[in-house]
Amino acid sequence: MTKVLVPYDFSEEAQNALDFTTALASRLDNVQIEVLHVLEIPSGTGFGTMGGGEMMPEIENQIFFVELADRRKKQMEELGESHRGKSYSLKTKIKLGNAYKGISESILEENPDLVVMGSKGSSGLEEVLIGSNTEKIVRTAKCPVVTIKAAVNPSDLKKIVFASDFRQNSAEIAARLKRLQHLFDAEVYLVIVNTPSNFEQTRDSMSRIKRFVKEFEMKNVKAEIYNSTSEEAGITQFAEDVDADLIAMATSGRTGFLHLITGSIAEDVVNHAKRPVWTLRIE
């Protein structure tokens, strides 16, 4: 059985992620989808008051939260019912608390094979102020994560960009990439981004990609070297230039640009890329 976790907050982006997941599950056998809604408790809601005139806002907050919880429970039940009788199984779950913590706990508890999340993306000051639960999950999840921004049909994912420096070739990364390629019957672009601060000759870069292809018997691939001012910009720009359908990256918490990328670069790509992004965290 393949288990997929879909965090769901009733936003358009979350619905896009769920639609992508159900469309993908319809093409496969024996898929279990868990749709998770984390109901965040408002910061002003508590059970202690200072008495007097401050009692009313506290009670109003609590009443609002209870009503919201009841509404969300009904909505999640209706969502589950709407997917009855499909070729996949879908169950819903509600957690209380912080969204990031709730999703992280579910990943540990459910041990899914894949997490599919919606992401709005942002830029400039908004990015600094808002932050993103999606980016945090990309950094910490131990299973692959696909981030979805717009409506996308899995059947249309025919061109995958995999960015790496290919200095530390990993059998696990190669196996996952080949599985991803097979899943979508896609062509894969293997790309190294050359930056001013980490510049090298094309011959050296190409040699490492060719070694990766030979060692892991990769098929239907193209090797590319792309020059840009930064790794994050290079990955997103290259994907735009070749009109890729999906960006794939292996990440680690370590510094350096491979395994692939430090978590921060992966988060930047997830945040700024317009197309779906698949990430796999390697210890």
Side-chain angles (χ1 to χ4, degrees), residues 163 235 249-254 256-266:
I235 293 167
M249 299 179 294
T251 76
S252 83
R254 297 193 296 275
F257 180 58
L258 162 64
H259 250 188
L260 153 76
I261 289 177
T262 62
S264 61
I265 296 175

Side-chain angles (χ1 to χ4, degrees), residues 197-266:
S197 62
N198 193 27
F199 181 82
E200 67 176 359
Q201 295 185 43
T202 296
R203 175 185 292 182
D204 296 332
S205 299
M206 195 63 73
S207 174
R208 291 202 306 278
I209 297 179
K210 289 178 179 178
R211 187 167 64 245
F212 177 82
V213 171
K214 181 178 180 181
E215 181 177 356
F216 299 111
E217 300 179 337
M218 302 294 297
K219 306 293 184 184
N220 194 20
V221 298
K222 290 184 177 180
E224 300 282 352
I225 312 300
Y226 193 82
N227 298 324
S228 187
T229 54
S230 71
E231 289 90 348
E232 177 261 326
I235 293 167
T236 54
Q237 290 166 357
F238 177 76
E240 290 172 0
D241 288 351
V242 300
D243 196 24
D245 302 308
L246 176 75
I247 295 172
M249 299 179 294
T251 76
S252 83
R254 297 193 296 275
T255 56
F257 180 58
L258 162 64
H259 250 188
L260 153 76
I261 289 177
T262 62
S264 61
I265 296 175

Side-chain angles (χ1 to χ4, degrees), residues 4-5 10 13 25-26 58 77 84 123 136 195 202 225 229-231 265 271 276-277:
V4 184
L5 177 67
F10 296 93
E13 291 78 16
S26 297
E58 196 70 28
E77 289 173 350
R84 295 277 184 263
S123 61
K136 294 178 186 176
T195 65
T202 296
I225 312 300
T229 54
S230 71
E231 289 90 348
I265 296 175
N271 200 32
V277 180

